[in-house]
């Protein structure tokens, strides 16, 4: 089991310096990863808002071992070629520590800028864009003429970037872009529409669907729960690890930066 810090990019976490310093502290305390939300606007606008890619570049320069990445990039609002170039650049800058999470995104982040928030269209863009992104990162020549994206006689340098997919389970979203994916970051909501932790049995079912949809059988599976302010004890972590979980994210959205700093300083459970 590996443990990561998972933070928003707005409100009290909208200051790039706060995020950079948290990542530095996480590395010093033995955490394995530092991951950021990727939104242009939160549901309830809470400035300031930091661009995660700019912040992650700064973190890559200020750290040496911790893995990092956006979790997750709403691929349908990005151009796959630009995203591939950004990812390969950050992977080089970080010395191979980038994990790239992909998802469909949330409706308001499209509608506020005049783009379609239709779920079916976003899912189709995610499917096609993910396939194109994988091709662009492969280093092979790419010619693509799809419904939403085109690429003619393009070849980027190969970039070994682990790509995870994400979405809301039990919808098909978490496994829509699973083909060729190196990992999965499923999200589950309860009856009150609040995020919750999946049960170990749900984890097994989710992993099974991921592999059946073309994801790597030995791929990563990360979980998180914003309602839990402390990381799991060893017994509980082992139970989830047996179910196939490889990453457990400590969420920061319910904590102030000072509270999260204290949690980071205590180190991950394995320490």
């Amino acid at each position: 089991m590996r443990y990561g810090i998972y933070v928003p990019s707005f409100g009290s976490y909208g200051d790039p310096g706060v995020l950079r310093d948290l990542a530095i502290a996480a590395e010093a305390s033995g955490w394995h990863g530092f991951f950021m939300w990727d939104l242009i606007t939160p549901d309830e606008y809470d400035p300031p808002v930091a661009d995660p890619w700019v912040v992650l570049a700064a973190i890559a320069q200020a750290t040496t071992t911790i893995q990092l990445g956006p979790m997750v990039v709403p691929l349908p609002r990005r151009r796959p070629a630009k995203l591939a170039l950004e990812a390969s650049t950050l992977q080089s800058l970080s010395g191979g520590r980038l994990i790239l999470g992909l998802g469909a995104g949330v409706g308001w982040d499209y509608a506020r800028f005049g783009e379609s928030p239709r779920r079916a269209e976003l899912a189709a863009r995610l499917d096609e864009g993910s396939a194109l992104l994988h091709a662009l990162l492969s280093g092979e020549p790419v010619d693509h003429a799809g419904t939403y994206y085109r690429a003619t006689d393009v070849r980027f340098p190969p970039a070994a970037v682990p790509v995870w997919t994400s979405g809301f389970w039990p919808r098909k979203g978490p496994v829509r872009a699973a083909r060729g994916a190196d990992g999965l970051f499923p999200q589950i909501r309860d009856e009150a529409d609040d995020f919750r932790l999946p049960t170990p049995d749900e984890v097994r079912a989710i992993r099974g669907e991921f592999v059946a949809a073309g994801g790597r059988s030995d791929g990563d599976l990360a979980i998180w729960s914003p309602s839990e302010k402390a990381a799991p004890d060893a017994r509980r972590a082992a139970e989830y690890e047996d179910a196939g979980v490889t990453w457990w994210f400590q969420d920061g959205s319910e904590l102030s930066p000072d509270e999260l700093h204290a949690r980071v300083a205590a180190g991950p459970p394995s320490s």
Side-chain angles (χ1 to χ4, degrees), residues 152-164:
T152 304
D153 193 25
V154 177
R155 186 172 185 177
F156 287 177
V161 178
V163 177
W164 294 2

Side-chain angles (χ1 to χ4, degrees), residues 173-194:
V175 297
R176 289 201 67 100
R179 185 161 301 281
D182 301 289
L184 178 66
F185 179 41
Q187 300 179 46
I188 300 179
R189 284 177 169 163
D190 59 20
E191 295 179 357
D193 205 32
D194 293 324

Side-chain angles (χ1 to χ4, degrees), residues 13-85:
Y13 292 97
D15 183 334
V18 167
L19 295 165
R20 179 202 58 216
D21 292 348
L22 272 169
I24 294 171
E27 180 174 86
S29 297
W31 293 83
H32 305 98
F34 188 88
F35 303 97
M36 291 180 58
W37 301 13
D38 188 344
L39 291 170
I40 295 178
T41 59
D43 186 7
E44 297 180 0
Y45 193 63
D46 189 12
V49 180
D51 183 284
W53 286 86
V54 175
V55 175
L56 288 167
I59 290 172
Q61 288 285 277
T63 58
T64 57
T65 60
I66 198 166
Q67 291 188 269
L68 49 89
M71 199 62 63
V72 296
V73 176
L75 183 55
R77 71 164 165 80
R78 301 295 305 277
R79 293 182 180 272
K82 185 65 167 67
L83 179 58
L85 188 60

Side-chain angles (χ1 to χ4, degrees), residues 60-267:
Q61 288 285 277
T63 58
T64 57
T65 60
I66 198 166
Q67 291 188 269
L68 49 89
M71 199 62 63
V72 296
V73 176
L75 183 55
R77 71 164 165 80
R78 301 295 305 277
R79 293 182 180 272
K82 185 65 167 67
L83 179 58
L85 188 60
E86 291 172 358
S88 62
T89 301
L90 185 53
Q91 188 66 310
S92 177
L93 185 66
S94 67
R97 293 181 284 134
L98 172 66
I99 296 175
L100 177 59
L102 302 179
V106 290
W108 70 77
D109 225 13
Y110 295 91
R112 285 174 176 166
F113 299 97
E115 300 179 53
S116 172
R118 292 180 59 247
R119 187 179 299 167
E121 181 179 337
L122 297 181
R125 285 181 176 271
L126 174 60
D127 288 346
E128 184 182 334
S130 176
L132 177 55
L133 182 71
H134 279 286
L136 292 168
L137 291 172
S138 72
E140 297 297 321
V142 177
D143 283 282
H144 177 89
T147 303
Y148 300 103
Y149 308 108
R150 291 182 177 272
T152 304
D153 193 25
V154 177
R155 186 172 185 177
F156 287 177
V161 178
V163 177
W164 294 2
T165 189
S166 179
F168 294 100
W169 192 83
R171 299 177 190 166
K172 293 182 179 179
V175 297
R176 289 201 67 100
R179 185 161 301 281
D182 301 289
L184 178 66
F185 179 41
Q187 300 179 46
I188 300 179
R189 284 177 169 163
D190 59 20
E191 295 179 357
D193 205 32
D194 293 324
F195 289 105
R196 68 169 176 83
L197 201 66
T199 67
D201 285 342
E202 285 174 331
V203 168
R204 292 185 180 93
I206 292 168
R207 176 173 280 282
E209 291 186 15
F210 172 69
V211 173
R216 283 180 47 178
S217 60
D218 61 345
D220 284 303
L221 194 153
I223 59 174
W224 72 299
S225 175
S227 63
E228 300 197 7
K229 297 186 178 182
D233 58 32
R235 180 197 60 79
R236 195 170 183 220
E239 183 180 2
Y240 275 92
E241 189 171 7
D242 288 343
V245 173
T246 61
W247 279 89
W248 194 309
F249 292 166
Q250 171 66 58
D251 178 65
S253 63
E254 297 295 321
L255 302 173
S256 70
D258 286 343
E259 289 173 325
L260 185 56
H261 260 291
R263 176 70 197 92
V264 163

